[in-house]
Amino acid sequence: QQQVKQSPQSLIVQKGGISIINCAYENTAFDYFPWYQQFPGKGPALLIAIRPDVSEKKEGRFTISFNKSAKQFSLHIMDSQPGDSATYFCAASPGSNYQLIWGAGTKLIIKP
Amino acid sequence: ETGVTQTPRHLVMGMTNKKSLKCEQHLGHNAMYWYKQSAKKPLELMFVYNFKEQTENNSVPSRFSPECPNSSHLFLHLHTLQPEDSALYLCASSQDWGAGELFFGEGSRLTVL
């Protein structure tokens, strides 16, 4: 019940296309859902996060879609660029003072 | 220096060696973390320190020993490791324990021979 399942494990998208990464959870107490981006040789960095009171959050080309009833959330990268090539991690937690539960990561490659 | 810095970036050690990983954060945060990152697996939280006090120890083997002398520095002492301990060890900090954004260092790549 504490797992966050992330798919796909790897993804190749053409430049200009839409990249979609999905995550599913079971614990209905989760109420904070961040996405982290990790470039090779670097640590993960927060990209965007959402709480379940909204169904969508957009920051530039990056959008989180949240489906509370399905217990799923996804990251959409519009107009994907080669510079977006990285590993993306979703995570979830039941709020403050609880550790993040992480997905296994998606390696995204954007082909020029 | 800014952000979270980790040293060394790469470490190769034998199973009988003793070594230490160092982390320093320049963000004025109160919480610091050690994570283990293995390929195709979720990040594994190992230890959490909040205001220099250890608040989490996720059943980590005793061959890993953390030390937090102050809110800016965190160490991970390593001894008699196993080859399966080879991984990227990430240090992170946040304003307070559980409070939002984690700031990660670049990691220490550990290889145990």
Side-chain angles (χ1 to χ4, degrees):
Chain A
Q1 197 175 17
Q2 282 291 86
Q3 282 186 321
V4 175
K5 294 183 180 178
Q6 184 171 348
S7 62
Q9 194 174 89
S10 61
L11 181 63
I12 299 174
V13 174
Q14 289 293 131
K15 179 183 174 183
I18 302 173
S19 304
I20 302 174
I21 303 170
N22 300 298
C23 285
Y25 64 97
E26 294 181 3
N27 188 342
T28 55
F30 287 157
D31 72 349
Y32 174 64
F33 303 89
W35 285 89
Y36 280 75
Q37 179 188 54
Q38 184 177 26
F39 293 106
K42 302 291 185 183
L46 180 65
L47 182 64
I48 187 172
I50 197 169
R51 295 198 182 268
D53 51 342
V54 296
S55 60
E56 187 176 279
K57 183 174 181 180
K58 193 175 205 175
E59 288 185 4
R61 296 183 294 107
F62 299 89
T63 299
I64 299 180
S65 297
F66 184 78
N67 186 329
K68 190 172 181 178
S69 60
K71 291 184 282 186
Q72 294 176 346
F73 58 110
S74 59
L75 177 69
H76 296 238
I77 306 174
M78 311 300 288
D79 186 27
S80 299
Q81 299 297 312
D84 298 329
S85 297
T87 300
Y88 292 80
F89 293 92
C90 63
S93 78
S96 294
N97 298 317
Y98 289 90
Q99 62 173 291
L100 284 172
I101 307 301
W102 296 82
T106 296
K107 184 173 182 179
L108 174 65
I109 297 172
I110 307 300
K111 285 198 162 183
Chain B
E1 299 239 36
T2 58
V4 180
T5 55
Q6 290 186 242
T7 55
R9 294 293 311 278
H10 299 272
L11 179 62
V12 179
M13 60 187 289
M15 292 169 63
T16 57
N17 290 160
K18 288 185 181 181
K19 297 283 185 184
S20 295
L21 306 180
K22 179 184 175 182
C23 176
E24 183 174 2
Q25 59 98 358
H26 310 269
L27 300 168
H29 288 166
N30 299 314
M32 295 187 76
Y33 311 74
W34 280 116
Y35 277 91
K36 178 182 179 182
Q37 183 174 27
S38 304
K40 301 179 183 178
K41 292 177 68 176
L43 290 173
E44 297 175 50
L45 179 63
M46 300 175 72
F47 301 105
V48 182
Y49 279 82
N50 198 35
F51 291 97
K52 302 188 301 177
E53 299 297 321
Q54 188 177 124
T55 57
E56 293 276 337
N57 176 342
N58 282 0
S59 304
V60 179
S62 59
R63 57 186 183 268
F64 295 91
S65 173
E67 179 190 359
C68 187
N70 55 60
S71 294
S72 299
H73 294 86
L74 187 63
F75 295 88
L76 188 62
H77 303 300
L78 317 168
H79 63 98
T80 59
L81 294 190
Q82 305 298 310
E84 59 264 29
D85 296 322
S86 298
L88 181 69
Y89 288 85
L90 290 164
C91 175
S93 71
S94 66
Q95 187 60 56
D96 294 294
W97 164 223
E101 184 174 0
L102 290 171
F103 292 79
F104 285 88
E106 295 185 331
S108 294
R109 173 69 63 187
L110 172 66
T111 303
V112 181
L113 300 175

